Structures are given as C-alpha cells and as structure tokens.
Amino acid sequence: KVQSNVKLRDSIRTIGNQQLEAMAENEEENIEPQFKNEWTIGFSASMEKGKTISSIGDNLEPITINHKSPISFGISIGKILSDNLSLESGLNYTILSSESKDLSGTTVNKQNIHFLGIPLKLNWIFINKKNFDVYLSAGGMLQECISPKNDNCSGSGDEQPISINGLQCSLA
C-alpha cells in the first residue's frame, strides 16, 4: 500500500506539474500589459471672471480699474505610474489684462502681462471606466513673466516699465 500511494502521489504531481506548465504557457500568450497607455497628452484652456475695483489715482482723482478675465491655455503630458496614479507636466501660457478709467470714462492706463508656466501635478484616479476617468489632482506651477506692458493713455503716450522679477508660484 505504501508503494502504491507513493506512485499515485508521484503520478498526481507529474500530471499537476504538466497542467501548471500548460496553464503558464497559455497565460504568457494572453498577458496584457499592466498599463495599456503609459503616456497621456492633454490640452487645457481656462478663463476666470474679471474684477472691477474703484480706487484713488496718483492725482487723488477716483479711478476704476477693470481687471479683465485672465486667459490661460496649455499642453500637458502625463506618465501613468500605476492603475490609480499619474504624474503630469507641460507648458502653459497666461495673459493678464487690465485698464484704468477716470470718472469721465476715459482710459488712462492699459496693462498686459504675459506669463509662461510649467505645471506639475499628481493625479489620483478613483473611477476608471473604459471611456472616462474621474480623478483628483494636486500640484503647482512655476511661472515666469515674459512680456510686461503698461501703456499710459492719458495723452502723454508714455510706456511705463513694469518690473516683475523672479518666478511666480501657485498651488492647486
């Protein structure tokens, strides 16, 4: 009985090993990559509501400053790190515009400031469906002013220099 049990056990092991090897070969043929698309590309555009502020000008006359809607657009590339995490960066362009008017409504000053920025975000995907994802993002952006302009429209035609030194930082 002992010899027949040993032979039976060895036969079962051999059959089991053959089946495992066959299953492994089939699995190797059907293996899908863990991350189907390892890189992503995206485009963004945004426009926020502008603000109007009443203030006192240099010559103690009341003026109204109309900060127009900031306009931003950019391109981003992302690297998928796992099923639920990705890292994203890119290049953004932003323009900030404003104009000042005196009491009569005459424009006395126009300002346009252009920025280039590099964002860096970490995305956590918590719903991942075939055709869409729902995710949370956290990150920031470094921006550099590339073209500040301040035009004096009060008749003198002077362009006053604007000095914006260093990098602008933002968190989101």
Side-chain angles (χ1 to χ4, degrees), residues 2-73:
V2 172
Q3 284 183 341
S4 62
N5 283 343
V6 170
K7 287 182 181 179
L8 181 62
R9 215 178 308 143
D10 288 342
S11 298
I12 291 171
R13 269 194 206 132
T14 304
I15 292 170
N17 287 339
Q18 290 172 347
Q19 287 176 340
L20 287 174
E21 288 172 7
M23 287 171 56
E25 287 175 8
N26 287 339
E27 284 181 6
E28 286 177 8
E29 294 171 5
N30 296 324
I31 290 177
E32 292 185 27
Q34 187 174 4
F35 312 117
K36 290 182 182 177
N37 297 319
E38 290 188 13
W39 293 93
T40 62
I41 190 164
F43 302 94
S44 64
S46 69
M47 182 181 231
E48 298 175 22
K49 185 178 180 184
K51 296 180 181 177
T52 301
I53 301 170
S54 294
S55 182
I56 304 289
D58 292 340
N59 55 2
L60 300 179
E61 287 184 29
I63 60 169
T64 301
I65 303 171
N66 180 20
H67 294 285
K68 297 178 181 176
S69 299
I71 299 172
S72 296
F73 57 89

Side-chain angles (χ1 to χ4, degrees), residues 139-150:
M141 180 165 34
L142 293 176
Q143 293 186 2
E144 177 75 29
C145 179
I146 56 171
S147 177
K149 291 189 178 176
N150 189 25

Side-chain angles (χ1 to χ4, degrees), residues 113-127:
I113 304 172
H114 304 263
F115 288 93
L116 274 182
I118 299 175
L120 182 62
K121 294 191 297 187
L122 183 66
N123 301 317
W124 174 58
I125 303 164
F126 59 92
I127 296 177

